[in-house]
Amino acid sequence: MEAKDLQYFRELLNGMLDDVLQKSDETIEDMTESGEVYADPADRATAESDRAFTLRLRDRERKLIKKIQNAITRIEDGDFGLCQDCGEEIGVARLKARPMTTLCIECKSKQEEDEAVRGD
């Protein structure tokens, strides 16, 4: 992969990381500032349900942070854009769609087929 492509993906991944971390900080602020007391149990249940949903989203983003950080590390190590299964280059179009991917489209398709057979 060319140096300009690596720089593009480094900037893209760092931007994604900044966005996710900012959302995380905003969630923490919102949850600590929200000291509302609900007289109606239904309102309280709705607020708790919303809070649980937000926490599930943030947990998914926590996992995404790790994937982004791993992709940035692969750029630094010179492994970015190489399929971890077959060692072939991952297409730039695929990397633009999902820059933290570790599998080429063929290996990812095979993985999904195997999961479908196993019922995962």
Side-chain angles (χ1 to χ4, degrees), residues 13-29:
L13 288 162
N14 281 320
M16 292 173 72
L17 184 59
D18 290 344
D19 289 344
V20 174
L21 291 173
Q22 181 180 358
K23 286 180 187 176
S24 172
D25 289 344
E26 290 170 2
T27 299
I28 291 170
E29 287 176 21

Side-chain angles (χ1 to χ4, degrees), residues 64-110:
L64 179 61
I65 288 169
K66 287 183 181 181
K67 290 179 181 182
I68 293 170
Q69 289 171 332
N70 288 337
I72 292 169
T73 300
R74 286 194 308 277
I75 289 174
E76 306 295 326
D77 294 344
D79 297 331
F80 183 79
L82 298 176
C83 179
Q84 289 185 344
D85 277 358
C86 69
E88 295 293 320
E89 283 195 21
I90 300 171
V92 173
R94 177 160 171 71
L95 288 169
K96 284 184 178 179
R98 184 100 174 135
M100 64 284 300
T101 191
T102 59
L103 300 174
C104 67
I105 195 69
E106 292 82 16
C107 290
K108 182 63 176 174
S109 295
K110 183 177 181 327

Side-chain angles (χ1 to χ4, degrees), residues 30-48:
D30 289 346
M31 290 186 155
T32 55
E33 289 175 0
S34 178
E36 296 183 40
V37 177
Y38 299 99
D40 183 13
D43 290 340
R44 185 175 27 249
T46 300
E48 286 300 316

